[in-house]
Structures are given as structure tokens and as C-alpha cells.
Amino acid sequence: MLRVYGSGFPVRLFVAGMHGDEWRDTSQLLLDVNPPKTGTLAVIPMVDDGKYVSTLDENYYSVSGSPILEAIERLHPEVYLELHSYAKENYARLTDDDRLSKAGVPAYNELKSGLLLGSVSPYIRLGFFSMESLCISFEIQRSNEQSYQFVVELLEVVSECKTRYDFVLYLLENFPKQAIKAIENYRKFYVL
Ligand SMILES: [Zn+2]
């Protein structure tokens, strides 16, 4: 299910349909991303539609998420993006300031329209990417049409990023408060 558009540096890998029925909200969005103007974009629109296993579970990437590890080993992406979806009732838990102590990952931050920006699982971030890589996770709010529309715009932005600084600049220009939070979270991640 790996699709590769373009060629050369930088290499970006976008993944969706990570677990359970999330593919219903996320797979088509990745299939609709345009090829990048420069470099490579690889997408796995549907990683696994089986039982829901959290990406924070240490077995996720070696079992249901194994196509992701295979793609990383083959392509060595500099930009890695996970697209997830969440039900509105989980908003408070995902954006909880104590999420780092409770779940081992920093809290998600809302950019707008229920669209959350967060880190990826420490297992994959620390084990498979360098500090210079951009590794982010977007959570779309289910049944929120504006959330879906906004993520289309964000996916276009990330598909043109050459380094993580391009995304930081986009955030600083458009969502300065969330940019500062994201930078703080990134730093916390590396002192875990
Ligand atoms: Zn998910």
C-alpha cells in the first residue's frame, strides 16, 4: 500500500489508517494529497484496519505498524507525519497539560477547527529518526467538516516542507502561540 511520488531530497512519509476504523476518516485524505513540487512524498493511506492498538503501545510499530518501519528503513524520510482522528469526547484527554506524565508524550495543541498537532510515539521518534527530522502527528476531529478541510491545507504545507524549520516557520507565522508550545514540547521530548 506504499505509494511514492516524486524523487530525491527531501523524503517525506505520510501515514494514515493507523488502527481500528480510523481509516474511514483519514485514508482518503492521504490519497488526495498532490505530489510535491520538490523531493519525494511517500504515503501509506492504510496501515492497519484491525484491532485498535495505540501507537504508544511498544508493540504497535513491530506488529500492526510494521509497514511503517519497512518504509522508514527503505526511504529514510526526513519528514514523517501521522494522520489520526479522534472523537470529540477525547479532546480534554489529548490536550491535557499533564499528558506527558500520564501518557509519556506531550499534550496535543489545537491549531483550529478541532485539528490537533502533536508529537509521534517516543518509540518511533527516538528509535528511527534524528533530532533534525520533522515528526508530527495530526488528529482530525471526527464529524467536524472544518477539521477535515483544514487538514487538507496542512497536508499541502507539510508536503512542501524541506526541513523541520519550514514547518516551524509556518507555525510561527500562522499559529504563534501553538508554535511556542510545539517547540517547548519538542525540547521536553529529548530530556525524557
Ligand atoms: Zn489514531
Side-chain angles (χ1 to χ4, degrees):
M1 256 309 239
L2 176 73
R3 292 159 186 250
V4 183
Y5 308 107
S7 63
F9 177 87
V11 177
R12 310 156 185 104
L13 174 63
F14 291 5
V15 301
M18 308 286 293
H19 32 207
D21 62 1
E22 274 190 21
W23 63 272
R24 292 177 196 277
D25 310 296
T26 58
S27 294
Q28 192 60 44
L29 288 160
L30 286 200
L31 289 168
D32 292 343
V33 178
N34 292 315
K37 294 188 189 79
T38 58
T40 307
L41 172 66
V43 302
I44 307 177
M46 157 93 90
V47 176
D48 186 67
D49 63 351
K51 178 164 79 85
Y52 183 95
V53 178
S54 166
T55 56
L56 299 177
D57 182 315
E58 62 176 336
N59 294 316
Y60 175 80
Y61 293 95
S62 54
V63 185
S64 7
S66 62
I68 299 174
L69 294 191
E70 283 162 26
I72 291 172
E73 275 160 9
R74 186 175 136 196
L75 301 164
H76 306 289
E78 286 89 14
V79 173
Y80 173 69
L81 182 151
E82 289 186 1
L83 185 59
H84 294 264
S85 65
Y86 72 99
K88 206 174 179 180
E89 56 264 34
N90 290 323
Y91 179 91
R93 184 177 58 80
L94 291 166
T95 56
D96 182 347
D97 281 337
D98 293 329
R99 190 164 190 251
L100 188 60
S101 57
K102 289 177 183 165
V105 281
Y108 276 91
N109 286 295
E110 182 175 2
L111 296 183
K112 68 172 184 186
S113 308
L115 191 289
L116 309 180
L117 165 67
S119 320
V120 299
S121 162
Y123 175 72
I124 194 163
R125 168 83 241 197
L126 300 172
F128 293 86
F129 292 96
S130 77
M131 274 181 79
E132 289 307 309
S133 311
L134 172 67
C135 296
I136 50 175
S137 174
F138 290 141
E139 287 270 4
I140 318 165
Q141 190 173 80
R142 274 179 217 150
S143 312
N144 178 339
E145 195 50 46
Q146 287 168 330
S147 202
Y148 292 79
Q149 282 168 14
F150 177 45
V151 85
V152 170
E153 190 183 316
L154 285 174
L155 291 172
E156 291 301 328
V157 169
V158 183
S159 71
E160 296 297 345
C161 282
K162 294 190 180 73
T163 69
R164 71 187 176 87
Y165 299 104
D166 290 339
F167 186 65
V168 171
L169 279 179
Y170 167 82
L171 283 183
L172 285 168
E173 278 167 17
N174 296 280
F175 301 97
K177 278 187 200 144
Q178 292 92 328
I180 289 160
K181 268 280 185 203
I183 294 164
E184 273 173 20
N185 283 344
Y186 170 83
R187 293 200 177 121
K188 275 184 206 159
F189 214 79
Y190 280 101
V191 295
L192 283 175

